[in-house]
Amino acid sequence: MKRILIVGCPGAGKSTAARALSEITGLPVIHLDRHYWQPGWRMPDSNVWRTTVETLAAEPCWIMDGNYSGTLVSRLARADTLIHLDYPTGLCLWRVLRRTTLGWGRVRVDTGPGCPERFDVEFLHFVMNYRRDQRARDMERMADFAGEVHRFTRPAELTAFIAGQRTA
């Protein structure tokens, strides 16, 4: 495992999993949210974003977390391992609400500078509708991935996987 891609609904725990695996493997973490969001939660130009992702994915080793469906195929082409956190909507929504409440006004390590935690109704709608609106497309894009695939439907499965990496 030299290039690990972690994907899933917002709130699934992608960034937390990336940091835990980095501690074990020593691989550097690339939080896509940190590179995507500009100060004040502004989105980058789509061409600039694609170039940024291609540059990041070209690095020799990494653990990259984030969905960003528009760049998923190009990231999958560079990854050797895929971790898909395929958790229920209710769990992801609860985690987003908890993260928002506990981190209110602070900038997380996995987001861009100048992007303090905030309540965002549009984002909550995205999380609530992810399985219905986004999941099938993401699953289709992941279907032909030739590397190692780990799909977890419960946090306990991910916890066991990470524990297993510690002993490997």
Side-chain angles (χ1 to χ4, degrees), residues 105-126:
R106 292 187 300 236
V107 176
R108 298 190 328 260
V109 298
D110 55 326
T111 59
C115 297
E117 194 63 52
R118 64 191 175 141
F119 184 77
D120 183 343
V121 173
E122 188 175 318
F123 180 63
L124 293 175
H125 281 281
F126 179 83

Side-chain angles (χ1 to χ4, degrees), residues 2-156:
K2 296 242 184 233
R3 291 183 176 152
I4 304 168
L5 182 58
I6 304 175
V7 299
C9 180
K14 298 178 296 293
S15 296
T16 302
R19 287 189 298 271
L21 286 171
S22 176
E23 287 177 18
I24 296 164
T25 64
L27 295 172
V29 175
I30 299 172
H31 297 296
L32 288 180
D33 281 348
R34 186 161 181 72
H35 295 274
Y36 182 82
W37 292 109
Q38 308 302 303
W41 293 99
R42 291 187 333 269
M43 294 183 278
D45 171 79
S46 59
N47 291 326
V48 170
W49 175 238
R50 262 190 236 88
T51 300
T52 298
V53 170
E54 289 170 10
T55 300
L56 293 168
E59 291 295 319
C61 58
W62 40 255
I63 299 172
M64 185 179 294
D65 74 88
N67 252 33
Y68 296 98
S69 295
T71 63
L72 182 57
V73 171
S74 66
R75 289 180 288 128
L76 285 167
R78 303 291 302 194
D80 60 36
T81 305
L82 171 64
I83 295 175
H84 180 202
L85 305 182
D86 196 15
Y87 296 164
T89 300
L91 174 62
C92 294
L93 184 60
W94 179 80
R95 285 178 165 187
V96 166
L97 289 169
R98 182 182 66 179
R99 177 177 77 196
T100 301
T101 302
L102 295 176
W104 185 263
R106 292 187 300 236
V107 176
R108 298 190 328 260
V109 298
D110 55 326
T111 59
C115 297
E117 194 63 52
R118 64 191 175 141
F119 184 77
D120 183 343
V121 173
E122 188 175 318
F123 180 63
L124 293 175
H125 281 281
F126 179 83
V127 174
M128 288 188 311
N129 298 313
Y130 174 82
R131 287 187 85 76
R132 185 191 70 201
D133 298 343
Q134 307 291 325
R135 184 179 178 275
R137 181 185 65 203
D138 289 348
M139 294 294 286
E140 184 177 309
R141 290 176 176 167
M142 292 184 278
D144 295 329
F145 180 68
E148 190 176 329
V149 177
H150 302 276
R151 180 165 288 116
F152 304 113
T153 59
R154 297 177 312 122

